[in-house]
C-alpha cells in the first residue's frame, strides 16, 4: 500500500502573516501614543519596543529605525482619514455635479462633511493621540511627514469640496478671498472641541465625548453653520441687487 505524503498544516503562512500584522499594528498603536505625548525626540525606540512587548530587533525588522516607526504612524493617520472621508467626498461630488441641486441639498452636503469631521476628531479611541501627533508636527517638534502624506490623499479634495459647497450655497465666487476664511471658521467650531478637549468637557459638565455628546455638538454646529451661511447668502443677494 502506497503511503500518502504528509502534508504541511494549511494556512501556516497566512497565520504567520496575521501575527506579523498584529505585531506591526501594536507597535504603531504604542508609538502613536508615545510620539503624541513626548514628541519625536522624546520617544525612544527602546521605550516603544518595551511598551509594545517586542525586542529592539523586532522593531527594526518592521520599521528599520525610529523615523520608519514615525512615518508608519503618520501613514496610519492618513489612511484612516482617507477611509473615513472618502465616501463623504464622493457624495459631495454627486451633489455638486447636479446643476439643479437645491439650497437644502447643498447645505446637507456640507452638514455631512461637518458631521464626518466631528466624528473623526472626537470619537475614535486614539483621537486624542492623533490630535497631539498632528500638533507636534504643526509646531515643528517632529519630522513633518504627515502633512506631506495628507496632501497626496483626500485633504486637498476635502478643502475644495467644502469651499465649493459653501460658495454655491451662499452665491459667492469660488475665488473670493473671504471664502477660505469662512470655511475655516465653520470647520473650526468643531475642531475647537478637540483642541480644547479637557476644558470643553469641564465647561459642559461632560465626562467624555461619547456618541450622545457628539450628536449634540453636530446639531449645534449645523444650526450655527446654517445661520452664518444664510446671512452670507443674503449678503450676496443684496450685493447682486445693488449692482
Amino acid at each position: 500500500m502506497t503511503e500518502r505524503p504528509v502534508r504541511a498544516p494549511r494556512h501556516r503562512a497566512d497565520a504567520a502573516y496575521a501575527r506579523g500584522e498584529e505585531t506591526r499594528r501594536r507597535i504603531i498603536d504604542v508609538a502613536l501614543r508615545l510620539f503624541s505625548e513626548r514628541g519625536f525626540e522624546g520617544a525612544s525606540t527602546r521605550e516603544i519596543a518595551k511598551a509594545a512587548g517586542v525586542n529592539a530587533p523586532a522593531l527594526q525588522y518592521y520599521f528599520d529605525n525610529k523615523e520608519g516607526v514615525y512615518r508608519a504612524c503618520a501613514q496610519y493617520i492618513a489612511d484612516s482619514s482617507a477611509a473615513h472621508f472618502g465616501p463623504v467626498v464622493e457624495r459631495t461630488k454627486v451633489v455638486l455635479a447636479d446643476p439643479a441641486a437645491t439650497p437644502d441639498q447643498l447645505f446637507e452636503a456640507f452638514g455631512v462633511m461637518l458631521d464626518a469631521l466631528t466624528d473623526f476628531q472626537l470619537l475614535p479611541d486614539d483621537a486624542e493621540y492623533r490630535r497631539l501627533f498632528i500638533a507636534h508636527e504643526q509646531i515643528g517638534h517632529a519630522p513633518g511627514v504627515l502633512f506631506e502624506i495628507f496632501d497626496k490623499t483626500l485633504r486637498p479634495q476635502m478643502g475644495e469640496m467644502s469651499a465649493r459647497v459653501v460658495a454655491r450655497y451662499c452665491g459667492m465666487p469660488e475665488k473670493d478671498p473671504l471664502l477660505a476664511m469662512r470655511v475655516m471658521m465653520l470647520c473650526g467650531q468643531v475642531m475647537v472641541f478637540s483642541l480644547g478637549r479637557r476644558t470643553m468637557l469641564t465647561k459642559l459638565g461632560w465626562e467624555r465625548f461619547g456618541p450622545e455628546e457628539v450628536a449634540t455638538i453636530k446639531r449645534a454646529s449645523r444650526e450655527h453653520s446654517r445661520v452664518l451661511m444664510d446671512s452670507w447668502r443674503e449678503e450676496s443677494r443684496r450685493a447682486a441687487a445693488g449692482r
Side-chain angles (χ1 to χ4, degrees):
M1 182 175 179
T2 304
E3 294 184 2
R4 294 181 180 180
V6 178
R7 294 182 179 180
R10 298 178 65 186
H11 306 308
R12 180 175 294 171
D14 290 346
Y17 179 80
R19 286 196 299 272
E21 282 300 298
E22 181 182 339
T23 300
R24 187 177 187 278
R25 177 55 192 273
R26 186 168 70 251
I27 295 171
I28 291 174
D29 288 344
V30 168
L32 178 62
R33 174 175 61 82
L34 291 175
F35 282 136
S36 71
E37 292 174 347
R38 305 180 189 181
F40 179 75
E41 295 297 335
S44 70
T45 52
R46 181 178 298 178
E47 288 177 303
I48 294 170
K50 182 179 179 180
V54 301
N55 55 31
L59 188 143
Q60 292 172 351
Y61 170 78
Y62 287 107
F63 304 103
D64 291 335
N65 51 35
K66 185 162 79 166
E67 288 77 8
V69 181
Y70 185 87
R71 181 171 284 276
C73 291
Q75 190 66 57
Y76 159 71
I77 295 173
D79 289 346
S80 61
S81 174
H84 182 78
F85 291 109
V88 179
V89 168
E90 292 307 311
R91 174 175 174 171
T92 306
K93 287 180 180 178
V94 171
V95 175
L96 286 169
D98 182 3
T102 66
D104 283 344
Q105 289 174 318
L106 291 167
F107 181 80
E108 179 61 20
F110 181 77
V112 169
M113 297 180 81
L114 204 58
D115 289 349
L117 179 61
T118 308
D119 286 338
F120 192 73
Q121 290 279 334
L122 298 175
L123 280 181
D125 292 338
D126 62 358
E128 179 71 357
Y129 299 142
R130 285 191 279 103
R131 182 188 70 78
L132 291 172
F133 188 98
I134 292 169
H136 282 298
E137 285 230 340
Q138 289 176 321
I139 61 178
H141 290 175
V145 300
L146 178 57
F147 289 98
E148 170 192 326
I149 298 173
F150 267 159
D151 288 338
K152 295 176 182 177
T153 55
L154 282 178
R155 187 176 180 230
Q157 290 188 60
M158 281 291 291
E160 179 190 353
M161 295 297 106
S162 299
R164 288 179 61 193
V165 168
V166 173
R168 191 158 153 192
Y169 181 91
C170 299
M172 296 175 64
E174 290 186 16
K175 294 185 178 181
D176 190 320
L178 274 177
L179 180 61
M181 186 182 301
R182 286 175 169 175
V183 172
M184 284 189 282
M185 289 176 174
L186 292 172
C187 295
Q189 66 181 321
V190 166
M191 296 175 69
V192 71
F193 289 94
S194 174
L195 296 173
R197 192 180 190 95
R198 294 179 183 176
T199 301
M200 292 297 176
L201 287 172
T202 299
K203 287 184 177 295
L204 292 168
W206 293 345
E207 293 183 0
R208 63 177 188 135
F209 288 126
E212 184 177 342
E213 291 80 9
V214 168
T216 300
I217 293 171
K218 287 179 181 177
R219 184 170 64 252
S221 64
R222 280 192 177 221
E223 291 171 353
H224 186 220
S225 297
R226 192 74 183 243
V227 170
L228 287 172
M229 289 168 66
D230 282 348
S231 70
W232 298 334
R233 191 172 175 213
E234 183 59 29
E235 178 185 285
S236 297
R237 284 177 176 172
R238 289 198 301 267
R243 292 194 186 110

